[in-house]
Amino acid sequence: MEKQWSLESFGTDGVRVDFVIAQLPCRIGRGKENDLVIANLGLSRVHAVLARDISGQIRLIDENSTNGTFVNRRRVEGYCLLNENDIIHFASAEFKLRMTLVDQSTVLPFDEMHTMLMPDNMSLSERFVPNEAEFDELINGYGLSGAAQPIVDAQTRQVYGYELLGRANHPLLPHMPIELFGLAQAMDREIELSLAFRDFGTSRIAPHCTGYAFFINAHPKETFSESFYASLERLHKTSPDISIVVEIHESAVTDIAKLRQFASRLTQLGIRFAYDDFGAGQARLLELADVPAHFVKFDISLIRGLHKASERKRQVVRNLVQMVLATGSVPLAEGVEDEEEAQVCIEMGFQLIQGYLTGRPIPEESL
């Protein structure tokens, strides 16, 4: 087995296929005289050439093709130098440049045909995701960061706990979690990102929060998985002094039986849990009553501007708070930004509040 450059693509059945670059220069096109023959009518007979550059990189040369060659969705004028994980389109045929361990290349023959002219507004497929290599670095710890936002007693304003918030300071990736999870979703890797944030937070941030409740998030895809339980068990064993509260998103609360099992297994570990973003979508009152959580975090959409809201909305929120209290759960208002909102929350029966009024997220390096 040798390290070789390869062009990764997808077969018609959706399975990834590697075209190994056995030698350089490597001619690419639809004609059977090429080193890599691509069965795509949008390609010219001789479409492009891969050659070794004096720098050691691969040089991609467009051979005045009819429909163009694109690198990271920018058309190549003449030639450009390639980097590993660059996304390449020969007309509409999509590839990613990889460094792989392979034996030999497979060449697909194709009958000679005239090049089919593609429209000017030809759309480029997006099966590959940019920044995949940088995302791998993030998962492995490079650029991972986090913050802790205080959760306080609504009346005394004494700190009750902290919520772990994932962050990133990788120079080539977005810093905010919602954007990072959007990138992870495109690669179906949300669970990996969630675990990386959790591991970072419990090792680097939680030790600063001893004596307080430490709220950690679970992605809806992992909530009831065995790997998630295993990660919590490891966390409990390695950090027995941390008072963990697992936040589960409302969208994961769909199965009463699984929810009961979830609550039971967390009880065995001495871990509490919270329903997060309550009221953001469908307020699942049945689950709230049948499997009460230790905490119910009311979504910011219910809290923001509550002091200016109509009496009808206030009454709805007030009733929900009373229902939460009746189940024995602690109601928590998220996104409280000014004192008037806080006072309305106290009047309605909220016991905990979280928001910029009582504490902005504290970066890991400032704890």
Side-chain angles (χ1 to χ4, degrees), residues 96-289:
K96 175 170 276 194
L97 186 65
R98 298 287 200 184
M99 180 72 84
T100 54
L101 291 172
V102 293
D103 292 324
Q104 58 184 5
S105 64
T106 302
V107 178
L108 300 176
F110 190 58
D111 293 335
E112 293 187 9
M113 295 183 182
H114 294 294
T115 299
M116 179 185 293
L117 184 64
M118 305 295 285
D120 292 337
N121 62 347
M122 174 180 66
S123 61
L124 302 180
S125 57
E126 298 186 22
R127 289 178 180 262
F128 293 110
V129 179
N131 299 118
E132 186 174 352
E134 291 78 12
F135 186 84
D136 286 337
E137 293 175 347
L138 183 71
I139 293 298
N140 291 323
Y142 173 65
L144 268 179
S145 185
Q149 185 173 27
I151 295 171
V152 306
D153 183 284
Q155 298 198 37
T156 68
R157 306 298 167 88
Q158 294 296 308
V159 175
Y160 176 83
Y162 292 90
E163 179 183 357
L164 169 64
L165 302 173
R167 296 286 189 270
N169 53 28
H170 193 292
L172 298 178
L173 292 176
H175 292 185
M176 299 307 293
I178 189 168
E179 298 176 43
L180 288 167
F181 274 106
L183 178 63
Q185 183 180 17
M187 296 181 284
D188 193 25
R189 299 180 67 182
E190 301 100 308
I191 294 178
E192 291 179 64
L193 180 60
S194 180
L195 179 60
F197 277 146
R198 196 160 54 245
D199 286 347
F200 177 89
T202 52
S203 64
R204 300 281 292 275
I205 295 179
H208 297 282
C209 305
T210 303
Y212 299 97
F214 192 63
F215 289 68
I216 60 176
N217 290 278
H219 192 276
K221 281 190 174 182
E222 67 176 334
T223 304
F224 302 122
S225 68
E226 288 300 322
S227 60
F228 180 58
Y229 291 127
S231 71
L232 292 179
E233 189 171 3
R234 288 195 303 272
L235 176 59
H236 178 66
K237 288 180 178 179
T238 57
S239 306
D241 296 332
I242 300 176
S243 179
I244 302 169
V245 180
V246 176
E247 297 187 18
I248 60 172
H249 192 269
E250 184 193 43
S251 60
V253 184
T254 57
D255 188 317
I256 290 287
K258 285 185 177 180
L259 202 54
R260 285 200 185 98
Q261 183 185 42
F262 174 83
S264 175
R265 294 182 72 166
L266 260 60
T267 298
Q268 294 172 14
L269 293 173
I271 294 176
R272 294 176 291 175
F273 75 100
Y275 290 136
D276 192 20
D277 297 330
F278 182 70
Q282 178 183 355
R284 299 189 178 279
L285 303 179
L286 180 61
E287 290 82 354
L288 187 69

Side-chain angles (χ1 to χ4, degrees), residues 328-339:
S329 302
V330 174
L332 187 160
E334 288 190 286
V336 178
E337 293 194 348
D338 58 52
E339 190 59 44

Side-chain angles (χ1 to χ4, degrees), residues 18-36:
D18 278 336
F19 296 91
V20 177
I21 302 171
Q23 60 181 9
L24 293 172
C26 175
R27 293 170 177 80
I28 299 166
R30 183 170 41 79
K32 59 185 179 182
E33 67 273 19
N34 291 285
D35 300 296
L36 175 55

Side-chain angles (χ1 to χ4, degrees), residues 24-91:
L24 293 172
C26 175
R27 293 170 177 80
I28 299 166
R30 183 170 41 79
K32 59 185 179 182
E33 67 273 19
N34 291 285
D35 300 296
L36 175 55
V37 181
I38 301 176
N40 185 311
L41 295 180
L43 269 73
S44 298
R45 281 176 54 86
V46 178
H47 195 98
V49 175
L50 297 175
R52 193 181 307 279
D53 187 76
I54 192 171
S55 66
Q57 293 176 266
I58 291 181
R59 180 193 293 252
L60 171 61
I61 306 163
D62 181 76
E63 293 290 324
N64 296 314
S65 62
T66 302
N67 292 310
T69 301
F70 303 79
V71 175
N72 298 323
R73 298 183 175 83
R74 291 186 178 182
R75 186 158 186 163
V76 174
E77 300 296 339
Y79 75 90
C80 73
L81 299 179
L82 298 178
N83 296 302
E84 186 178 3
N85 294 314
D86 277 346
I87 298 170
I88 306 169
H89 285 81
F90 303 106

Side-chain angles (χ1 to χ4, degrees), residues 324-357:
V324 168
L325 289 168
T327 65
S329 302
V330 174
L332 187 160
E334 288 190 286
V336 178
E337 293 194 348
D338 58 52
E339 190 59 44
E340 289 178 292
E341 282 178 350
Q343 290 304 317
V344 172
C345 288
I346 292 171
E347 182 270 327
M348 289 182 174
F350 281 100
Q351 296 176 345
L352 299 174
I353 58 176
Q354 178 181 358
Y356 283 2
L357 173 66

